[in-house]
Amino acid sequence: DVKVTQSSRYLVKRTGEKVFLECVQDMDHENMFWYRQDPGLGLRLIYFSYDVKMKEKGDIPEGYSVSREKKERFSLILESASTNQTSMYLCASSLMGGASTEAFFGQGTRLTVV
Amino acid sequence: LAKTTQPISMDSYEGQEVNITCSHNNIATNDYITWYQQFPSQGPRFIIQGYKTKVTNEVASLFIPADRKSSTLSLPRVSLSDTAVYYCLVGASGYSSASKIIFGSGTRLSIRP
């Protein structure tokens, strides 16, 4: 079974803090993704990576950065957390990329910025 | 990436068959149609994929007409546990910058007793 593990299920941070969300997958997948999900807005792609050290912006990259130093790990960084970044964050991985490939998701991190 | 349109929400009752239709008028020759299911407080999970005609697995069936401009996800005899958001995705395999996977807002399906 593919496993995508996110480091925290719930997180509370203060405005202005630098926040790291970690995601690890154990199936040697090439592609990894970070999404955020807010009520009524579906899943929105923040960043994705198709190879180690490679990253591409998604639809809403502002206020975020990412790091992929190893194939199995993809980190999402909130440089200076703000209250409008309170959300559910979901990490995913896939062997191949694109909408026709199966993506596997982690359990999500519910981040609250106060 | 082909744009998809699906209903925002649907309601049904236990034991009924539910059909969720997705429109994708600008689907390309290489594109597949993929559906995901998302339960509350969980990430989405892949449930079915097809290219043309009909695909069936233990969870659902997917009907795709000859022109492929729409598709219908069919859930037989739903139960309360089928209450979830269902996403329709249309696209092909991608590499490098084309490997992104975009989800829309999905269809929120509510099943009542």
Side-chain angles (χ1 to χ4, degrees), chain A residues 41-108:
Chain A
L41 294 178
L43 279 87
R44 293 182 290 168
L45 181 64
I46 305 171
Y47 267 96
F48 67 101
S49 168
Y50 52 86
D51 200 352
V52 175
K53 295 191 187 294
M54 305 305 290
K55 59 187 179 186
E56 291 276 342
K57 293 179 181 179
D59 295 334
I60 51 163
E62 296 78 21
Y64 303 94
S65 62
V66 290
S67 172
R68 193 164 180 205
E69 296 296 318
K70 294 186 177 181
K71 193 174 186 179
E72 67 270 19
R73 187 180 297 270
F74 192 33
S75 302
L76 179 69
I77 304 155
L78 286 66
E79 298 290 343
S80 177
S82 64
T83 54
N84 63 12
Q85 291 178 309
T86 291
S87 186
M88 169 71 91
Y89 289 88
L90 288 155
C91 174
S93 73
S94 68
L95 180 59
M96 296 170 63
S100 69
T101 60
E102 182 176 357
F104 296 85
F105 281 81
Q107 78 278 25

Side-chain angles (χ1 to χ4, degrees), chain A residues 102-105, chain B residues 35-39 42-48 58-59 82 87 103:
Chain A
E102 182 176 357
F104 296 85
F105 281 81
Chain B
W35 286 81
Y36 284 78
Q37 175 189 55
Q38 184 181 22
F39 296 118
Q42 294 185 26
R45 70 171 185 133
F46 172 98
I47 52 173
I48 199 165
E58 65 278 3
V59 177
D82 291 312
Y87 297 93
F103 288 76

Side-chain angles (χ1 to χ4, degrees), chain B residues 83-94:
Chain B
T83 293
V85 178
Y86 294 83
Y87 297 93
C88 167
L89 280 69
V90 173
S93 298

Side-chain angles (χ1 to χ4, degrees), chain B residues 7-20:
Chain B
I8 293 172
S9 64
M10 293 179 68
D11 295 323
S12 188
Y13 293 92
E14 282 192 294
Q16 299 294 306
E17 178 184 76
V18 171
N19 295 310
I20 305 174

Side-chain angles (χ1 to χ4, degrees), chain B residues 29-109:
Chain B
T29 304
N30 294 337
D31 287 347
Y32 281 73
I33 299 151
T34 307
W35 286 81
Y36 284 78
Q37 175 189 55
Q38 184 181 22
F39 296 118
S41 301
Q42 294 185 26
R45 70 171 185 133
F46 172 98
I47 52 173
I48 199 165
Q49 183 182 79
Y51 184 81
K52 60 180 179 180
T53 63
K54 176 183 172 183
V55 179
T56 297
N57 62 22
E58 65 278 3
V59 177
S61 294
L62 179 60
F63 298 93
I64 305 166
D67 66 6
R68 304 201 325 125
K69 292 184 184 299
S70 67
S71 58
T72 299
L73 176 73
S74 181
L75 304 172
R77 292 188 300 280
V78 293
S79 65
L80 296 176
S81 63
D82 291 312
T83 293
V85 178
Y86 294 83
Y87 297 93
C88 167
L89 280 69
V90 173
S93 298
Y95 301 91
S96 67
S97 60
S99 68
K100 65 181 177 180
I101 303 175
I102 300 295
F103 288 76
S105 299
T107 297
R108 185 172 298 277
L109 175 65

